[in-house]
């Protein structure tokens, strides 16, 4: 791929169609733009960073890039974990964070329309104020809605409510050639041709740039309760999950956590977790419209947990207690990162729910076998696990071959268990090889054909998801 | 497109890879295979019909068709309404109805895996027996699951539970060139590359042939209640719906029906509808795990309806009453067809929920303006309307220009209201023009590019959804 380098003439033109104080080049470019949350996957300097403020600007930028064969990397908050929003081929980095308007919260149709750069936490706040509910709940609340859509972010509540894809209903998209199109809309059903919005969801900015997004909302459940359940052993803990899911008591979330990760979080947050009795916990939440409705459900689950070896069941039915436990859960990633400043690598596989125990135990074995500290936590209720290999005090020479071997074995194991490479973080550039191995050549050929249909010159976020066509 | 004609040599080969008693040609081909439920869109004779019984057979048939440039039309029960499963270019009709095994109902992962030819009613029966629930509820229960997936069938329960797409988790697919691939699986989350399963859903057999499908299941709700609500006027009836949806009382289904359609159904079924007091009704259902849980919800909705002009609220809380009302609703399509044996045309638009009243009133005006009898009913709760123009005693010369004008005006109106051409029936060959008009050239170019990525020789169900590339 022979891309054109960005020249001063390009920069002058890009300023002429945007504004001088939103175009950065050379030393003006903040180091943050060279990486996402995983600096371990390399640092790459874009040639120019532009903060767009409208779909029309994005369109004009793409027209220029297309005509001049300049690669463009769209970017939201840069909170990704696979190197999806880094400019590995240089060129233009197109930041959408200034496109942060909530365009409409339509209470009649229960739909919200936002610019792509609206932060998840801002959107949650706005819909909650109107008594509405946007169910997707990825841990990183400072991510943009655009980023969530582009990785099909999942989060805690997938067990009951599904993932981002299930809520996206429409989009305004700028194509690689600068054309603007709208797809879907405020409609609940749609069988009008291949679903472009579903190709865009999870495409990590490689097929088009979503500048506006319409999502479905629900009425806000009136009550929520969490259960914190310590178990005697990790096995008992994990193996209780399928029993919970088979009961008719649909929890909103089912997370598992281990003592050692909790301790990292306690240190990170500077506050104590409310229980110290066990090495392995399930954390469940339930929501509904009345205390009675939820009580019946969580009582049943509490009894079930106790019958499967739970040591106790702590009920958090106040907002304060609820938040105390979930803030610990929410701090896991940062806490683990903090515990291994020399570096780490992560894996985000998803397996069928009844294979979670197998995968968790497999990782514990890898920990012993390679002498690398492995921390894991995740969404036991939906089979999506986050596993972190910590470099700690290992030298680069020790670390590199070990982590490569561990990652390969984890992905192989996920495939063996009929799982997938990524549950919610995506592929970026870091996982392209693992994706290719897991899905095989016929599927990669089709993905590459789809990429070509959208972006024949391969200028939109090249090298991510697929790396050629 | 210059396709090869099917020769005796082809037929002999096709028999050699399948079986003589599952391959039909010439006079052996049943007339049913020349059309779907809308004979109005033309009758087309395939050159050969093959009933496949395995993925391996489908793969071998496709390899032969691909090598010899023979078009292939996959087909389930043939209950479509847009000419999606008819062989408009002749060639091979590939029936999947003998691939009717329920492969697995996995109670641990709450997933069901079926061959594509399993009938919806058979699958519902099988999962219900295990206390499980497959929420998609298209009216035509003799359709195949494969057909449901290929049109992204919606049905009554979309208001609360979403559509077929939301339940499909994995597929075994035979590509146009005969390659077999698997995509997705028993996983709840997936961010592993562009979603092939979401391209396949709603693709009407033009991108690949799904031979096995894995869908998500839910625990079966223990209780269900229906409300039949007569209103003084159609306006009051339709305009109450957004108020219901804005309340926190999520119904499972919200249908609207009019006296004249009910009368057609009474005649068709030979039994009386339980109420005659009104011209316009809402039919709602609610489900949950306890009587108490549902009671609180439907009481609130009943009060709301009464405050908006409902004449009464009839509660059906026994299975018998429930089925009596819903069987009337289920008979609408057949009843309307029966009332106009000379022919009809249909439109399946979807609009934002708060535009349903506008569209319904618009159709009533068209009725008067053109002097063509128009019957409509539909899913008021999700904005998906089914509108039928009845030929009745009109001559062909009177009928044709009128129905063409009415259809054009209905689709134009749907687009004006920010709706889509099809909510759940699909595009087939009958609606390709309307799709092109509604989405515009840039979108059609992409759809054609996607088609090319999957089927570069354009042999898979050519002329459907897109008609060139």
């Amino acid at each position: 791929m022979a891309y054109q380098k960005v020249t001063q003439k390009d920069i002058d033109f890009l300023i002429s169609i945007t504004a001088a104080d939103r175009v950065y080049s050379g030393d003006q470019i903040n180091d943050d733009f060279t990486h996402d949350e995983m600096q371990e996957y390399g640092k790459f300097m874009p040639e120019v960073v532009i903060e767009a403020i409208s779909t029309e600007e994005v369109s004009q930028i793409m027209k220029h890039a297309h005509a001049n064969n300049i690669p463009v990397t769209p970017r939201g908050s840069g909170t990704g974990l696979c190197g999806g929003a880094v400019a590995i081929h240089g060129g233009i980095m197109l930041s959408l964070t200034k496109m942060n308007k909530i365009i409409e919260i339509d209470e009649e149709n229960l739909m919200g329309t936002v610019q792509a750069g609206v932060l998840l936490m801002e959107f949650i706040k706005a819909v909650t104020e109107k008594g509405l509910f946007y169910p997707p709940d990825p841990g990183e609340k400072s991510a943009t809605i655009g980023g969530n859509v582009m990785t099909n972010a999942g989060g805690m509540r997938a067990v009951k409510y599904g993932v981002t894809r299930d809520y996206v209903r429409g989009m305004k998209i700028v194509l690689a050639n600068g054309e603007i199109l709208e797809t879907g809309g405020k409609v609940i059903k749609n069988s009008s041709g291949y679903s472009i919005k579903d190709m865009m969801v999870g495409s990590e900015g490689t097929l088009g740039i979503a500048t506006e997004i319409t999502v479905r909302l629900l009425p806000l459940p009136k009550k929520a309760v969490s259960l914190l359940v310590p178990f005697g052993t990790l096995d008992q803990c994990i193996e209780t999950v399928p029993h919970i899911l088979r009961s008719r008591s649909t929890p909103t979330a089912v997370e598992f956590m281990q003592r050692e990760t909790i301790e990292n979080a306690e240190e990170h947050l500077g506050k104590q977790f409310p229980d110290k009795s066990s090495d392995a916990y399930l954390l469940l939440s339930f929501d509904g419209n009345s205390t009675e409705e939820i009580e019946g459900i969580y009582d049943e689950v509490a009894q079930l947990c106790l019958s499967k070896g739970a040591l106790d069941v702590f009920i958090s039915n106040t907002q304060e207690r609820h938040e105390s436990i979930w803030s610990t859960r929410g701090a896991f990633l940062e806490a683990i990162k903090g515990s291994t400043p020399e570096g780490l690598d992560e894996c985000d596989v998803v397996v069928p729910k009844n294979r979670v125990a197998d995968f968790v135990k497999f990782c514990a074995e890898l920990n012993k076998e390679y002498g690398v500290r492995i921390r894991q936590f995740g969404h036991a209720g939906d089979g999506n696990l986050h596993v972190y290999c910590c470099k700690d005090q290992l030298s680069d020479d020790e670390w590199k071959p070990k982590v490569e071997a561990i990652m390969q074995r984890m992905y192989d194991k996920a495939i063996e268990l009929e799982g997938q490479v990524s549950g919610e973080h995506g592929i970026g550039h870091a996982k392209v090889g693992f994706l290719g191995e897991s899905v095989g050549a016929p599927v990669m050929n089709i993905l590459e054909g789809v990429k070509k249909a959208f972006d024949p010159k391969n200028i939109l976020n090249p090298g991510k998801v697929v790396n050629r066509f």
Side-chain angles (χ1 to χ4, degrees), chain A:
Chain A
M1 287 172 291
Y3 295 114
Q4 293 296 310
K5 288 281 154 201
V6 175
T7 64
Q8 188 56 46
K9 209 176 133 198
D10 291 316
I11 292 172
D12 293 342
F13 179 79
L14 291 166
I15 289 173
S16 79
I17 57 173
T18 58
D21 61 353
R22 294 188 279 110
V23 176
Y24 309 87
S25 61
D27 293 348
Q28 300 166 318
I29 297 175
N30 191 308
D31 181 72
D32 285 349
F33 287 111
T34 65
H35 60 83
D36 63 5
E37 286 291 312
M38 288 295 286
Q39 300 198 36
E40 288 76 2
Y41 299 147
K43 293 177 73 164
F44 304 89
M45 184 60 77
E47 294 163 72
V48 57
V49 174
I50 311 174
E51 294 169 328
I53 59 166
S54 70
T55 300
E56 192 48 47
E57 275 191 5
V58 173
S59 167
Q60 291 204 42
I61 293 164
M62 288 313 304
K63 279 181 185 159
H64 183 79
H66 193 254
N68 293 281
N69 209 29
I70 299 169
V72 177
T73 306
R75 181 174 170 114
S77 298
T79 57
L81 293 162
C82 307
V86 296
I88 61 173
H89 292 284
I92 298 169
M93 174 158 284
L94 181 52
S95 168
L96 296 163
T97 53
K98 284 204 156 52
M99 290 188 67
N100 59 2
K101 280 194 202 70
I102 296 175
I103 296 169
E104 184 191 26
I105 294 174
D106 175 347
E107 297 181 66
E108 283 205 319
N109 289 303
L110 297 183
M111 296 274 173
T113 301
V114 298
Q115 288 187 319
V118 168
L119 302 186
L120 177 59
M121 60 190 175
E122 298 293 342
F123 187 55
I124 291 171
K125 187 162 166 278
V127 301
T128 306
E129 281 169 4
K130 291 191 183 283
L132 296 173
F133 182 41
Y134 177 61
D137 188 34
E140 180 54 68
K141 302 294 185 286
S142 66
T144 62
I145 299 287
N148 280 185
V149 169
M150 283 296 152
T151 53
N152 188 22
M156 320 275 188
R157 300 196 192 108
V159 185
K160 179 168 178 180
Y161 289 107
V163 298
T164 303
R165 176 185 305 285
D166 302 315
Y167 292 86
V168 178
R169 284 296 170 263
M171 276 184 205
K172 191 175 277 186
I173 302 166
V174 178
L175 296 177
N177 64 6
E179 273 181 309
I180 299 169
L181 62 87
E182 295 193 41
T183 188
K186 291 179 184 173
V187 290
I188 296 293
K189 294 174 168 174
N190 196 356
S191 295
S192 309
Y194 317 140
S195 177
I196 287 193
K197 73 117 177 127
D198 280 293
M199 296 183 222
M200 291 290 292
V201 173
S203 67
E204 305 184 35
T206 63
L207 300 183
I209 300 174
T211 57
E212 292 181 18
I213 295 151
T214 297
V215 297
R216 179 183 171 213
L217 301 171
L218 299 180
L220 187 66
K222 292 172 190 159
K223 301 279 173 193
V225 163
S226 294
L227 301 188
L228 179 68
V229 190
F231 282 85
T233 68
L234 177 63
D235 284 7
Q236 285 175 328
C237 173
I238 295 286
E239 284 164 8
T240 300
V241 177
H243 295 283
I244 296 171
L245 298 174
R246 277 195 59 186
S247 75
R248 288 159 197 262
S249 328
T250 312
T252 311
V254 186
E255 301 285 308
F256 88 94
M257 44 176 80
Q258 288 177 268
R259 164 72 22 218
E260 46 206 8
T261 313
I262 294 169
E263 282 167 6
N264 289 149
E266 286 178 325
E267 198 169 314
H268 180 76
L269 293 169
K271 65 178 192 181
Q272 297 296 304
F273 191 66
D275 183 71
K276 290 202 178 302
S277 64
S278 169
D279 284 342
Y281 295 84
L282 286 184
L283 174 55
L284 300 109
S285 68
F286 298 86
D287 63 17
N289 281 325
S290 69
T291 309
E292 299 70 40
E293 182 192 334
I294 308 180
E295 260 176 9
I297 299 173
Y298 74 67
D299 273 358
E300 205 176 305
V301 173
Q303 291 307 322
L304 180 63
C305 288
L306 291 168
S307 77
K308 298 290 173 191
L311 304 175
D312 206 339
V313 175
F314 302 103
I315 297 166
S316 301
N317 48 13
T318 67
Q319 190 65 14
E320 196 187 346
R321 283 201 201 174
H322 196 76
E323 276 172 12
S324 154
I325 297 178
W326 284 96
S327 71
T328 305
R329 166 63 186 85
F332 280 175
L333 170 57
E334 287 305 314
I336 293 171
K337 285 180 86 166
S339 77
T340 174
E342 294 301 312
L344 81 177
D345 199 353
E346 76 117 37
C347 149
D348 159 57
V349 296
V350 60
V351 296
K353 290 179 286 197
N354 68 344
R355 316 306 288 268
V356 168
D358 293 342
F359 196 85
V360 168
K361 287 183 228 170
F362 178 77
C363 293
E365 285 162 23
L366 290 179
N367 191 340
K368 283 186 208 148
E369 182 178 339
Y370 287 91
V372 169
R373 184 168 64 101
I374 295 179
R375 287 286 173 270
Q376 49 182 326
F377 60 90
H379 314 299
D382 58 42
N384 179 211
L385 298 163
H386 301 317
V387 189
Y388 294 83
C389 298
C390 303
K391 183 164 184 274
D392 292 344
Q393 307 310 325
L394 293 174
S395 70
D396 286 352
D397 287 350
E398 289 170 307
W399 165 246
K400 222 179 148 199
K402 276 178 193 262
V403 73
E404 276 175 13
I406 293 172
M407 283 290 149
Q408 189 67 53
R409 289 191 55 191
M410 287 198 292
Y411 285 111
D412 290 348
K413 186 71 181 179
I415 303 313
E416 180 195 321
L417 297 175
E418 301 183 31
Q420 299 285 332
V421 167
S422 171
E424 58 185 12
H425 294 169
I427 300 302
H429 71 90
K431 310 289 182 187
V432 174
F434 294 120
L435 177 66
E437 279 178 23
S438 82
V439 298
V443 172
M444 285 307 271
N445 287 341
I446 292 174
L447 300 189
E448 286 158 8
V450 171
K451 167 74 171 164
K452 195 171 180 180
F454 280 83
D455 179 19
K457 294 178 84 167
N458 195 24
I459 59 165
L460 255 178
N461 210 4
K464 316 298 170 59
V465 186
V466 295
N467 56 12
R468 67 188 164 84
F469 51 70

